[in-house]
Amino acid sequence: MTERTGFGSKLGVILATAGSAVGLGNVWRFPYMAGENGGAVFIIIYLACVLLLGIPCMISEFIVGRHGQSNTARAYSKLSGGSPWKLVGYMGVLTGFLITGYYAVVTGWCLQYIWASFIGQLQGTPDYFKTYFAELSSDPVRPVLWTFVMLGIAYLIIEHGVRDGIEKASKMMMPTLFILLLIIVVASCMLPNAGKGIEFLFKPDMSKMTGDVFLSALGQSFYSLSIAMGCLCTYASYFSRYTNITTSATQIAIIDSVVAILAGLMIFPAAFSVGVNPDSGPSLIFITLPNVFSQAFGAIPIVGYFVSLLFFVLLSLAGLTSLMSLHEVSTAFFQEEFTLSRKKAALIVTISTAIIGAFCSLSLGATDTLVFGGKALFDWFDFITGQIFLPVVGFLTCVFIGWFVPHKVVREEFTNWGTLRSEWYARLFHIYLFLVKYICPMAILFIFLHQFGLLE
C-alpha cells in the first residue's frame, strides 16, 4: 500500500470528514424539508434512514478510498482491476467538480448577506427581503465576485495540503460552527411562543406519515451526508490503516444529524414565534429567515442585528467546509492523474470552477442566453448532479462493493485487516454486507424513481 500524506490525528479525521458532510444541506435543506414534511415524523424517519442507508453507504466509500489510497477515480480503478466499474470513480469526480461550481454561488450569497447584516441592510418588510434577494441573485457583478472570493478562500486552504490545510482549517471551523449554532438556538428558543416550534420538531403527529414523507427523508439522509460526490472517498484515502472506519462513519453521521436538528431548533422556534409558515422551501434562509429575525427581535434591535450576522457567518462556515471537500476531490484527481504540484492542481480547479460558477450565477437573471428548456444553467447543474449523478453513483457504489468486490477485501478493510476481531465486528460486518447488497441499492432506486414521479 502506497504511503501518502494523511490526517495527523483521529480528531482531524472526524472534524474534516464531518465538515465535508455538514454543509448547507444541513443548515438550509434539512429545516425546510422537515417543515414541508411534518416536522417530528420526518426527523424520526430521517434518523432511521441515516442508520440503515447513510452509514453503510459512507462505510462503502471509505472502503474504496482507503483501499485505493488515491483520488476517487484511481481508487475505483484499483479496486475494480481496471474493469468498467472504474467509470463510477470518474463519475464521482465529475459530480464533485460540477457541484463545486454552482455550490460556490450559494456560499457566495452567504458572504453578501454577512456584509449586508454587518452594515444593517437586512431590515424591512417581507417584500423588501424578497426584492433584496431577487436583485442580488440577478445582479451580474456582486454574486460573481463573492463566488470568486469563496473559491479563493477554499484555494488558500487546499493548497496547503491535508494536514496543514484541510485538517487545521477543520479544527478551527467546526467548533466555531457549533458554538455559533448553539448561541442562535438559545436566542431562538427564548422567544415568546417558541415552544410551538420545539413541539413541531419533537412531538410526532403520526397522521403525517406518508409515502412521500418517507421518501423525502430517505433522500435527505442520502444527500446530507455528502455521499456519491467523491468527498468521502477522497478523504478516506488520507485515513491511516488504523482508522476504525465503522466508528468514524457512525461518529460523523451523529455529528451531521445533531447539526441538522440544531438547525431546526434555530429556525422553527423563531418562525413560530412570529407566525411564519415553516414550509417556506429553499428561499427559507435568504428571504424568510432575515424577515423572521427582523420581526422576532424587533423589540431589541441590537440582538436581532447580532443574531442575523452570526447566522450568516454560520452559513458561510458550513458552506466553506463542504466546498473545501468538494474542491479537494478534483484537486487530488488533477494532482495525481496529471502529476502536477498541489498548488497547480488546486489553481486549475479554482479557475475552472470559478468560470462555471460565474456562468451559473449569470444565468439567474443577468442574461437570458444561459436559460435552456425553461431552466437556468444554475438549475440544470443542480438537477443533473443532485437528481441524476448522486443517486446513480451511490447505487453503483453499493452494487460494486456488495456484488463485485471480493468479500475478503471488504472484510479486511472493515475489520482493519483482522485487528478488530471481536464477535461484535463479525456480526456487524454481515449486517453491513446485507444492507449494502440489498437494502441500500433498493432504497436509492426508490429515491431515484420517486423524484421523477415514477413512484408515488
Side-chain angles (χ1 to χ4, degrees):
M1 190 177 288
T2 309
E3 286 299 319
R4 308 167 80 221
T5 301
F7 292 113
S9 65
K10 287 182 181 178
L11 182 63
V13 168
I14 298 303
L15 291 182
T17 316
S20 168
V22 171
L24 295 182
N26 301 72
V27 185
W28 169 28
R29 195 173 191 268
F30 180 87
Y32 85 72
M33 291 291 285
E36 290 175 343
N37 290 283
V41 166
F42 176 86
I43 292 173
I44 290 168
I45 301 170
Y46 167 80
L47 292 174
C49 291
V50 166
L51 182 66
L52 296 174
L53 171 68
I55 292 175
C57 285
M58 191 183 292
I59 290 170
S60 298
E61 287 207 44
F62 284 172
I63 286 171
V64 176
R66 187 170 69 173
H67 187 87
Q69 291 283 286
S70 50
N71 70 78
T72 297
R74 191 178 292 185
Y76 276 86
S77 186
K78 283 182 179 179
L79 201 51
S80 69
S83 72
W85 283 105
K86 68 182 180 183
L87 296 175
V88 180
Y90 284 94
M91 194 173 176
V93 173
L94 178 62
T95 303
F97 178 75
L98 296 177
I99 291 174
T100 307
Y102 83 84
Y103 192 81
V105 176
V106 182
T107 55
W109 293 340
C110 297
L111 291 181
Q112 168 63 30
Y113 270 70
I114 290 176
W115 173 246
S117 298
F118 182 71
I119 62 175
Q121 281 186 350
L122 293 186
Q123 295 172 359
T125 64
D127 286 339
Y128 168 79
F129 292 110
K130 279 184 187 175
T131 304
Y132 185 89
F133 180 69
E135 288 177 353
L136 170 66
S137 57
S138 60
D139 189 311
V141 179
R142 281 183 301 162
V144 174
L145 289 176
W146 286 122
T147 299
F148 291 170
V149 169
M150 191 56 99
L151 283 167
I153 295 169
Y155 167 79
L156 291 173
I157 294 167
I158 294 297
E159 68 157 347
H160 282 95
V162 178
R163 288 191 189 182
D164 293 334
I166 295 169
E167 186 170 351
K168 276 188 178 177
S170 299
K171 283 181 175 178
M172 287 189 291
M173 288 193 289
M174 288 302 291
T176 305
L177 188 150
F178 266 102
I179 291 165
L180 292 177
L181 192 52
L182 288 170
I183 290 170
I184 303 172
V185 166
V186 170
S188 183
C189 289
M190 289 176 69
L191 290 167
N193 297 318
K196 290 181 181 177
I198 297 170
E199 186 176 301
F200 177 78
L201 272 178
F202 295 115
K203 188 176 179 182
D205 179 355
M206 301 315 285
S207 66
K208 293 182 177 178
M209 187 180 288
T210 64
D212 278 350
V213 171
F214 183 84
L215 286 165
S216 296
L218 198 61
Q220 177 61 21
S221 70
F222 183 71
Y223 299 128
S224 73
L225 292 169
S226 292
I227 290 163
M229 300 177 190
C231 304
L232 301 175
C233 186
T234 301
Y235 274 14
S237 74
Y238 303 124
F239 288 3
S240 83
R241 61 186 293 137
Y242 304 108
T243 300
N244 186 322
I245 58 175
T246 306
T247 302
S248 297
T250 305
Q251 290 169 336
I252 291 157
I254 289 169
I255 292 170
D256 189 74
S257 300
V258 167
V259 169
I261 292 168
L262 284 174
L265 272 176
M266 171 178 67
I267 289 167
F268 290 114
F272 275 82
S273 175
V274 295
V276 172
N277 196 335
D279 60 349
S280 302
S283 63
L284 185 71
I285 59 172
F286 294 112
I287 298 172
T288 308
L289 279 178
N291 175 42
V292 165
F293 292 144
S294 178
Q295 287 187 54
F297 299 100
I300 321 170
I302 191 69
V303 176
Y305 170 85
F306 279 111
V307 167
S308 181
L309 181 61
L310 292 178
F311 174 71
F312 287 107
V313 171
L314 163 70
L315 271 185
S316 298
L317 283 174
L320 181 57
T321 56
S322 289
L323 191 65
M324 265 174 12
S325 63
L326 288 162
H327 197 298
E328 177 62 19
V329 173
S330 301
T331 298
F333 174 79
F334 280 106
Q335 183 182 2
E336 293 171 7
E337 298 305 307
F338 298 97
T339 325
L340 301 172
S341 68
R342 171 165 274 271
K343 285 190 176 184
K344 194 172 285 186
L347 189 60
I348 289 170
V349 174
T350 303
I351 292 171
S352 51
T353 53
I355 292 168
I356 290 172
F359 281 115
C360 283
S361 180
L362 292 171
S363 74
L364 292 172
T367 175
D368 293 334
T369 58
L370 294 169
V371 177
F372 311 99
K375 274 183 190 281
L377 185 67
F378 178 97
D379 297 320
W380 276 114
F381 269 73
D382 184 33
F383 173 78
I384 290 167
T385 56
Q387 296 192 41
I388 299 175
F389 284 8
L390 288 182
V392 167
V393 174
F395 176 82
L396 291 176
T397 296
C398 290
V399 173
F400 176 56
I401 289 291
W403 295 93
F404 180 84
V405 178
H407 291 174
K408 180 177 180 291
V409 174
V410 179
R411 187 185 291 108
E412 282 176 350
E413 287 289 344
F414 191 90
T415 61
N416 284 6
W417 294 270
T419 58
L420 305 172
R421 288 181 175 277
S422 69
E423 204 174 301
W424 160 246
Y425 269 94
R427 288 179 185 168
L428 202 59
F429 173 72
H430 290 296
I431 294 170
Y432 158 74
L433 202 58
F434 175 78
L435 290 172
V436 90
K437 284 181 79 170
Y438 302 105
I439 305 301
C440 295
M442 289 301 296
I444 295 167
L445 189 60
F446 283 152
I447 297 169
F448 189 75
L449 295 174
H450 174 66
Q451 65 192 7
F452 286 104
L454 301 173
L455 182 72
E456 295 298 331

